[in-house]
Amino acid sequence: MTETISLESVVPISTISNTIGVVCDDAARSHSSPRLHQELDEQAIVSDVMEISGGRTAVIIGLLFGTTIVGSFSTGLLTVGLPHMASDLKLADNLLLWPANITGQLSHIKEASTIALLSISMALIPAFVFWIGRQERHNKPALVPNSLWKSSTFSSICVTVLLSWAVLNGMEWFCSLFFQDVQKLSARDTSLRFIPDIVSGAIINISIGVFIQRLRVDYLILITSIIAAVSPLLMALTNPAWPYWYTVFWAMLLGPFSADVLFTVAALLITDVFPENTQALGGAVFQTVAQIGTSLGLAIMANISTSVTNHSDYQNKTSPAALLEGYRVTFWVSFVWMILATIIGGLGLRTAGKIGLKRE
């Protein structure tokens, strides 16, 4: 008997919230230096920049915060309600935004079509790298130049965000399934349990924008990644019979620390590492890596969970006890990934120093 996973999870806090940190950082720097000097074509051109008043800064932050909260809640409530709407209307699971049977048929990976597509995909990766390298050597346009990865700082931040984003989205997915399939909570009660995650994410983004110029990047990533690693550890140790406030509340509260901080840090690091004509490309690659982390994380965790559940000793593979075995393993996997992200981020960014400071 195979496990069917329904999409009854609240989506993570919108990336709009990450712009809050950047705005706060820009506002802080504008107070200390109302004029920015820029040299273009070997001529000194002075650009007048309006100083953002405290009231205007508060309005901007308030609007971004409100947009984030409204967007996250509306999207989350819609996502939570979709499976119930489909059930009431007797619609097929495949009509949902995310296939409800994403991990239902692991045997499909043994089919000839799946093996062929997987083999072609794996072969295209080195072929793409070779082709881009050839384009660079002949001074021809390259979509993602291989030289982009020569910066250890950029490469480290990309690998770290790939792991962190995989853990963040995977945790929210499987925590939702833990609440509904194991603890048998309603969609409404499940949504309410994600409120600490949303509030924590918004506060982190505001705080990091204000204080980032005072902190070393490697220490910041190291500390926040360790804090975020506590979240899957708590969920792996959680007993479903325990009250919400014992461990789950803290897991929800600490979960966004690493991923949300990484987005603000990366936006500023890219401006420091790359010249102006490459910054947009660096930002696009970073965003793509984050989305790849989401896709890979959910796929790997879902298949691990299903495999563990199907090989459990329980007769009924859809029982809460059988499902819990699979979910618990995914939480341990998330914990290991966050430890790996901590090591890579701490070592790879050790030369980054402080960012967000005015460059003369």
Side-chain angles (χ1 to χ4, degrees):
M1 192 169 189
T2 57
E3 175 190 357
T4 298
I5 295 182
S6 63
L7 180 59
E8 297 181 344
S9 61
V10 178
V11 295
I13 189 167
S14 171
T15 52
I16 294 176
S17 65
N18 293 290
T19 61
I20 296 176
V22 178
V23 169
C24 292
D25 178 70
D26 288 341
R29 282 187 283 173
S30 68
H31 279 294
S32 61
S33 56
R35 289 184 181 274
L36 302 178
H37 300 279
Q38 187 177 26
E39 290 187 4
L40 296 174
D41 298 327
E42 297 181 356
Q43 295 179 356
I45 299 176
V46 180
S47 300
D48 293 329
V49 179
M50 292 181 60
E51 183 177 354
I52 302 178
S53 65
R56 189 177 177 186
T57 301
V59 170
I60 293 174
I61 294 174
L63 287 174
L64 289 173
F65 184 82
T67 303
T68 296
I69 295 299
V70 173
S72 298
F73 270 110
S74 59
T75 308
L77 289 174
L78 176 63
T79 306
V80 168
L82 277 174
H84 298 281
M85 294 166 58
S87 177
D88 294 340
L89 297 174
K90 301 186 184 305
L91 298 176
D93 290 336
N94 291 332
L95 294 180
L96 297 178
L97 287 179
W98 191 289
N101 56 352
I102 181 174
T103 61
Q105 300 294 333
L106 290 179
S107 59
H108 286 175
I109 199 171
K110 300 179 181 178
E111 295 180 356
S113 58
T114 304
I115 295 174
L117 290 173
L118 186 60
S119 300
I120 293 172
S121 300
M122 297 302 294
L124 285 175
I125 295 176
F128 176 78
V129 174
F130 173 79
W131 171 255
I132 292 298
R134 181 182 180 278
Q135 291 291 93
E136 273 196 289
R137 287 193 301 271
H138 291 81
N139 294 321
K140 293 182 178 181
L143 183 61
V144 183
N146 293 337
S147 57
L148 203 69
W149 305 104
K150 291 182 179 179
S151 170
S152 60
T153 299
F154 181 72
S155 299
S156 299
I157 200 74
C158 283
V159 175
T160 305
V161 79
L162 182 136
L163 293 171
S164 297
W165 212 244
V167 170
L168 177 66
N169 288 276
M171 280 290 297
E172 294 194 349
W173 172 279
F174 282 98
C175 283
S176 175
L177 296 176
F178 173 83
F179 296 144
Q180 298 183 73
D181 294 345
V182 177
Q183 293 187 324
K184 299 300 180 181
L185 299 177
S186 65
R188 182 195 62 184
D189 291 338
T190 298
S191 300
L192 292 176
R193 278 159 174 75
F194 281 93
I195 291 179
D197 177 84
I198 298 173
V199 175
S200 174
I203 294 175
I204 290 168
N205 279 281
I206 295 175
S207 303
I208 197 64
V210 174
F211 298 108
I212 191 170
Q213 69 273 14
R214 305 176 186 177
L215 304 170
R216 283 179 55 91
V217 173
D218 51 343
Y219 293 164
L220 182 62
I221 297 301
L222 191 65
I223 294 172
T224 54
S225 296
I226 291 174
I227 293 174
V230 177
S231 177
L233 177 62
L234 290 175
M235 290 303 301
L237 300 174
T238 296
N239 186 327
W242 290 351
Y244 170 73
W245 305 102
Y246 275 21
T247 53
V248 178
F249 169 78
W250 298 104
M252 295 293 101
L253 192 69
L254 302 178
F257 266 79
S258 178
D260 284 349
V261 169
L262 276 171
F263 264 84
T264 303
V265 168
L268 298 173
L269 271 177
I270 289 171
T271 61
D272 284 350
V273 172
F274 298 116
E276 290 184 1
N277 61 343
T278 316
Q279 290 175 6
L281 176 61
V285 171
F286 175 81
Q287 292 283 349
T288 303
V289 169
Q291 298 308 315
I292 292 175
T294 298
S295 302
L296 286 178
L298 285 175
I300 293 173
M301 291 183 187
N303 282 280
I304 290 175
S305 174
T306 302
S307 178
V308 172
T309 297
N310 289 340
H311 289 85
S312 64
D313 296 331
Y314 296 96
Q315 202 80 12
N316 183 5
K317 303 303 181 182
T318 61
S319 65
L323 294 175
L324 179 60
E325 281 200 9
Y327 299 162
R328 202 181 293 279
V329 172
T330 62
F331 294 143
W332 281 115
V333 170
S334 298
F335 173 69
V336 172
W337 283 357
M338 277 310 308
I339 295 299
L340 185 60
T342 302
I343 296 172
I344 295 174
L347 295 178
L349 300 175
R350 64 186 183 279
T351 59
K354 296 181 180 180
I355 59 175
L357 300 175
K358 178 179 179 293
R359 308 291 186 187
E360 294 292 350

